[in-house]
Amino acid sequence: MTEDFAAAERTALRGLLDALKREGLVPPEWERAARAVPRSAYVPELIYLGDDLEPCNRADDPEAWLRAVYADDSVVTQVNDGEDPGEDGERWASSSASAPGIVFRMLRMADVGDGHRVLEIGTGTGWNAGLLSHVVGAENVTTVEVDPVLAAMAKGRLWGEGLRAEVVAGDGALGHAGGAPYDRLVATCSVRSVPRPWLEQVKPGGVVLTPWESPWICYGLLRMTVDGAGAASGRFSPHSAFMLMRAQRTDLRIFRDVVRDAHRPDESSTGLPPWRVAGDDFAAQFAMGLLLRDVWWTWHDDPDVEGVASRLWVATTDATSWAAVDWDGTSDDRFTVWQHGPRRLWDETEAAYAWWTSHDRPGPERFGLTVTATGETPWLDDPGRPVPAMG
């Protein structure tokens, strides 16, 4: 490392920490960890920037690389699950270093303390495990990574920095029973359903903290307390979006997997603008995800249909039912609806939106989830007020 690069890194780190401290995100113990565990030691030489995921190599452009490493933003560190997409192939993000702001927010929410035994799901670059190791002791940190190449690289970085945490290559949904019981479980990938082994491997009174995702939206954090009888309950909070756990991924496309030429949908109309449920209101979208638990959506702009400027598709994850809502580009009070399959998905969407508005449009922080041996129950305000399933 050159002296100029080291000086630039110190300046970048100071600027990042000052900004995060102004937001109240970095208490003293985590600031010390951030200084002792430099993010630059964990982010790989090759990263991917921007919406087009353009490669950025530290050797070729050290200034751009360093700016990305110490920005309060996520950094894509792997595309296409490590497969080479080729010069003209489509790139999609498959692993990233989370934004420092959300990293420190989650560490505070998990209430990790000295001597706690911590299980991390989703090692990624290893930086989060490094921060944990500095605070609780590396001997108390176990981290699981599904990608064996990423796991080996992270272990090399951690051990190279003298932090000999246990790095396990395996399915994070299974946790790691060999190190149980844990005081805290922190996931760095989102889930649509909480894996039961997580609850079994955390001590009674221990905390599970995981990003949350529904097929409708990737948004929110879930903090649960384990009761010692195989169950857990806790609340959601907003402001996060993480890559979905690989074991829970779905790969669905409307014209490839759902809509068929032979389908003859029923036509109707609606007064509910489609952007109310699939627009910029993340609180509405989060609620839709809890109420419509197996439904996803996608927009189709300029669909090459006469009189249609934009179309919202909604469909079930089993690809058996779908609906489409058309906007003609001018009217804001009436929209054409097409529905096909055993479920009337737009009818369900309207019912879900009506429920949400009738309960004062609650945000994620008013919702929670209880997990028991018989399933998962979302609730509003307290566990005694379950959220209905509209499907």
Side-chain angles (χ1 to χ4, degrees):
M1 180 186 295
T2 68
E3 186 174 333
D4 288 346
F5 187 90
E9 180 176 11
R10 288 193 295 270
T11 299
L13 174 60
R14 183 168 59 250
L16 173 64
L17 289 176
D18 286 347
L20 295 179
K21 284 191 292 184
R22 284 194 295 271
E23 297 180 36
L25 295 178
V26 190
E29 67 272 23
W30 293 112
E31 180 179 359
R32 290 191 292 270
R35 295 186 183 281
V37 185
R39 198 174 188 226
S40 62
Y42 292 85
V43 174
E45 302 282 310
L46 177 62
I47 58 178
Y48 300 86
L49 303 179
D51 293 338
D52 295 329
L53 297 178
E54 289 295 325
C56 174
N57 196 300
R58 175 175 174 171
D60 297 332
D61 195 344
E63 292 183 359
W65 185 89
L66 190 65
R67 281 197 304 272
V69 169
Y70 284 104
D72 187 18
D73 201 356
S74 60
V75 178
V76 175
T77 56
Q78 185 197 66
V79 297
N80 300 56
D81 286 340
E83 298 293 330
D84 184 0
E87 186 173 335
D88 300 320
E90 178 186 3
R91 297 190 189 103
W92 46 273
S94 53
S95 188
S96 67
S98 302
I102 191 63
V103 167
F104 290 114
R105 179 181 285 113
M106 289 180 65
L107 291 171
R108 287 190 64 187
M109 288 178 64
D111 192 24
V112 176
D114 185 29
H116 275 159
R117 291 185 52 76
V118 182
L119 175 62
E120 179 193 39
I121 305 299
T123 312
T125 66
W127 185 54
N128 202 64
L131 295 171
L132 286 165
S133 295
H134 186 269
V135 170
V136 306
E139 69 279 6
N140 291 317
V141 176
T142 300
T143 179
V144 182
E145 171 58 50
V146 69
D147 187 314
V149 174
L150 295 182
M153 294 172 66
K155 181 177 180 178
R157 296 181 189 116
L158 286 160
W159 286 39
E161 293 291 310
L163 300 172
R164 299 176 74 85
E166 183 174 6
V167 181
V168 178
D171 184 355
L174 301 178
H176 183 61
Y182 304 96
D183 298 283
R184 299 290 186 269
L185 184 151
V186 179
T188 64
C189 55
S190 63
V191 297
R192 293 180 177 177
S193 179
V194 179
R196 291 210 55 79
W198 293 7
L199 307 186
E200 296 164 357
Q201 294 171 22
V202 173
K203 294 178 181 178
V207 171
V208 172
L209 178 65
T210 181
W212 181 260
E213 177 172 329
S214 68
W216 196 273
I217 187 174
C218 176
Y219 187 66
L221 294 169
L222 174 63
R223 187 186 192 276
M224 312 181 77
T225 301
V226 176
D227 71 357
S233 189
R235 290 184 175 276
F236 292 101
S237 64
H239 309 312
S240 76
F242 283 72
M243 294 179 189
L244 184 63
M245 175 177 282
R246 291 190 187 184
Q248 295 187 13
R249 283 179 183 171
T250 55
D251 179 19
L252 291 168
R253 301 186 185 183
I254 285 292
F255 295 114
R256 187 190 68 189
D257 305 308
V258 180
V259 178
R260 299 287 182 263
D261 290 340
H263 290 174
R264 295 294 179 264
D266 298 325
E267 181 180 359
S268 59
S269 64
T270 182
L272 175 62
W275 48 82
R276 294 275 179 84
V277 296
D280 296 331
D281 190 337
F282 284 3
Q285 285 206 50
F286 186 84
M288 294 302 102
L290 293 181
L291 291 153
L292 302 165
R293 298 170 195 177
D294 62 345
V295 181
W296 58 285
W297 61 266
T298 186
W299 281 101
H300 189 180
D301 293 323
D302 299 320
D304 195 24
V305 177
E306 185 177 355
V308 179
S310 187
R311 172 174 284 171
L312 175 68
W313 294 94
V314 296
T316 53
T317 53
D318 65 5
T320 60
S321 297
W322 60 263
V325 184
D326 291 344
W327 178 52
D328 62 11
T330 59
S331 174
D332 288 336
D333 59 2
R334 214 67 200 159
F335 307 86
T336 302
V337 177
W338 309 92
Q339 300 190 86
H340 175 82
R343 289 169 57 181
R344 306 285 86 178
L345 285 191
W346 191 251
D347 295 351
E348 292 180 15
T349 302
E350 288 184 317
Y353 187 77
W355 183 94
W356 180 68
T357 56
S358 72
H359 288 78
D360 300 322
R361 303 170 182 262
E365 65 282 352
R366 285 185 58 193
F367 288 101
L369 187 77
T370 297
V371 182
T372 68
T374 58
E376 298 181 348
T377 303
W379 40 265
L380 178 67
D381 295 328
D382 68 71
R385 299 180 64 193
V387 172
M390 293 300 175

